[in-house]
Amino acid sequence: MLHDLMTPEKNVQRIMWTGTAWFIGAAATTAVFLAVMLSSGWRPGILPPFLGFVWWFGSVLTALAIGLIGWSGCPILEVNVPIADRNKTRTMQVGTLFYIVGGVLCVFAVMQGPVAH
C-alpha cells in the first residue's frame, strides 16, 4: 500500500510545483552561464573538434532537459492521473539526469579548452 504522500494525485501535484521551480532554476542558471561566457568573448568555435562535440552534445542534453523539466511542471494532465503520474515522474527524472550530465559536459569542454582572449 502506498503512503499517502506517494499517491498518484499528491505526486502529480508535487511534480507540477517542483517541476516549475526546477524549470525556472534550470533556465536561469543556463542563461546566466551562457551570458557570462559569451560576454567574456568565449565562443564554442574556439574549442578543438572533440571538445566542440562534447560542448554541443552537452548543450543538446541541457536543452532537452529544460524541455522535459518544463513539461513535467506543466499543469496539464494527459489521459488520467495515474498516466500523468507515471509520465511526469519519468520526465522529471530523465530531465534532471540530462541537466546534470549536459551541464557537466559543457563545463568540462570549457575548462579543457583554450582561454579566450
Side-chain angles (χ1 to χ4, degrees):
M1 183 168 152
L2 288 176
H3 187 278
D4 184 50
L5 290 175
M6 293 309 294
T7 61
E9 291 81 9
K10 293 216 176 175
N11 197 43
V12 167
Q13 288 175 342
R14 181 176 42 256
I15 288 174
M16 286 190 292
W17 184 86
T18 59
T20 300
W22 269 90
F23 176 76
I24 292 167
T29 56
T30 301
V32 168
F33 177 79
L34 279 175
V36 169
M37 295 300 296
L38 295 174
S39 68
S40 74
W42 183 88
R43 299 290 183 268
I46 69 170
L47 295 171
F50 175 72
L51 290 177
F53 173 79
V54 171
W55 163 262
W56 286 110
F57 185 74
S59 296
V60 168
L61 278 181
T62 303
L64 284 171
I66 293 171
L68 287 169
I69 292 168
W71 184 85
S72 295
C74 183
I76 295 175
L77 299 179
E78 297 151 67
V79 179
N80 55 41
V81 172
I83 290 174
D85 178 42
R86 183 194 69 214
N87 291 346
K88 286 182 179 290
T89 298
R90 287 181 183 163
T91 56
M92 192 67 191
Q93 291 168 340
V94 172
T96 303
L97 173 68
F98 282 7
Y99 183 75
I100 292 167
V101 172
V104 167
L105 289 174
C106 288
V107 170
F108 171 79
V110 169
M111 297 299 290
Q112 294 299 310
V115 177
H117 295 288

